[in-house]
Amino acid sequence: MPYYKLTNQKLQTYDDFQWRLDKWITTDGIGNLCSAGWLHCYNHPLLAVLLNPIHADINNPRLFRVNVRGKKKTNNGLKFGFTKMQLVEELTLPKITLIQQITFGILCAKEVYKDKKWNKWADNWLSGKNRSCAAACAAADAADAVRAAATDIARAATYTDAVYAAAGAADAAAVTAYAAADAAADAAADAADAVRAAAYAAADAADAAADAAAGIGIKSFNLIKLAKKVMRY
């Protein structure tokens, strides 16, 4: 399976760690996936870009195909860690729009979140039928209510991979949407509010799904397949 990594324009990652093309980097595999013991990557270029906002959050990144060796660790398919990694080829970074970011979060949330009211809003948003600020805000409020109601449901149970992935992917969409909405607010306040509210709704729905679906045994879904689907929007 091929793997991919993002760096900044200077071939640096977290804490200005310096990478060089064709040079092997080795770590010890100690600690959790977000620690210095692991070298991080993704199993598809689209996921590298779509999930960047909740991981390294690299501004203006570069994309590389990498070789990997050693120990392996994963975060429910959201990202991967290895103890040995080598940058081998720079690739063209996929261009992802804000709408596609939000779409990804909504599609992931829909995999595990079956509330009829929220899904009706989500379907209308995805189709472009209704992306008004009022509709998006109402959906966000509804998702908040569901999440609050779900707090008593099996919090101690183990969440499924699908739930974790949905929550993470929706959060990635939300982080990107918040930043873009804030930047656009002065020029187009109403449109920015609608986008921001839509992102909140997607992230909140995933959070609610994580509570409500705990321990139910929902099967994992294919993040790469959803990422490819997003490109049609």
Side-chain angles (χ1 to χ4, degrees):
M1 175 186 293
Y3 290 95
Y4 307 88
K5 184 171 186 64
L6 298 178
T7 74
N8 66 16
Q9 291 296 306
K10 298 179 180 179
L11 267 69
Q12 296 172 337
T13 50
Y14 180 73
D15 203 21
D16 297 330
F17 183 83
Q18 187 66 55
W19 290 79
R20 290 181 176 81
L21 201 64
D22 296 326
K23 179 182 178 181
W24 281 98
I25 303 295
T26 301
T27 55
D28 55 23
I30 297 175
N32 61 43
L33 187 56
C34 293
S35 71
W38 298 93
L39 303 167
H40 306 128
C41 59
Y42 300 87
N43 62 350
H44 197 279
L46 289 176
L47 292 180
V49 176
L50 286 165
L51 298 176
N52 177 44
I54 59 165
H55 291 157
D57 194 23
I58 298 172
N59 183 39
N60 191 24
R62 296 168 68 177
L63 174 70
F64 292 85
R65 181 174 62 82
V66 296
N67 287 333
V68 295
R69 294 178 184 170
K71 297 179 182 178
K72 176 182 178 181
K73 198 176 185 71
T74 183
N75 180 23
N76 302 295
L78 292 175
K79 65 179 176 182
F80 295 80
F82 291 88
T83 53
K84 295 183 179 181
M85 189 174 295
Q86 175 193 46
L87 303 184
V88 293
E89 179 186 13
E90 184 166 11
L91 305 173
T92 301
L93 190 77
K95 293 183 178 180
I96 308 293
T97 68
L98 177 59
I99 294 298
Q100 289 169 331
Q101 283 272 6
I102 298 171
T103 298
F104 183 58
I106 291 174
L107 289 176
C108 288
K110 281 175 65 66
E111 289 289 319
V112 295
Y113 188 45
K114 302 306 178 183
D115 178 78
K116 291 183 179 179
K117 184 174 182 179
W118 184 86
N119 272 277
K120 181 178 180 180
W121 167 81
D123 290 339
N124 286 337
W125 195 95
L126 291 171
S127 70
K129 182 178 180 180
N130 189 356
R131 293 181 181 176
S132 70
C133 181
C137 289
D141 290 342
D144 275 339
V146 173
R147 181 173 54 181
T151 54
D152 294 330
I153 302 178
R155 280 192 175 276
T158 300
Y159 294 167
T160 64
D161 288 357
V163 171
Y164 273 125
D171 283 346
V175 169
T176 299
Y178 302 156
D182 288 340
D186 290 340
D190 290 340
D193 284 344
V195 170
R196 184 186 296 108
Y200 271 116
D204 286 346
D207 284 344
D211 284 333
I216 293 177
I218 299 172
K219 295 180 179 179
S220 282
F221 57 95
N222 192 323
L223 279 173
I224 294 177
K225 182 177 180 180
L226 288 183
K228 291 179 178 178
K229 184 177 180 180
V230 161
M231 300 308 291
R232 300 200 294 265
Y233 282 81

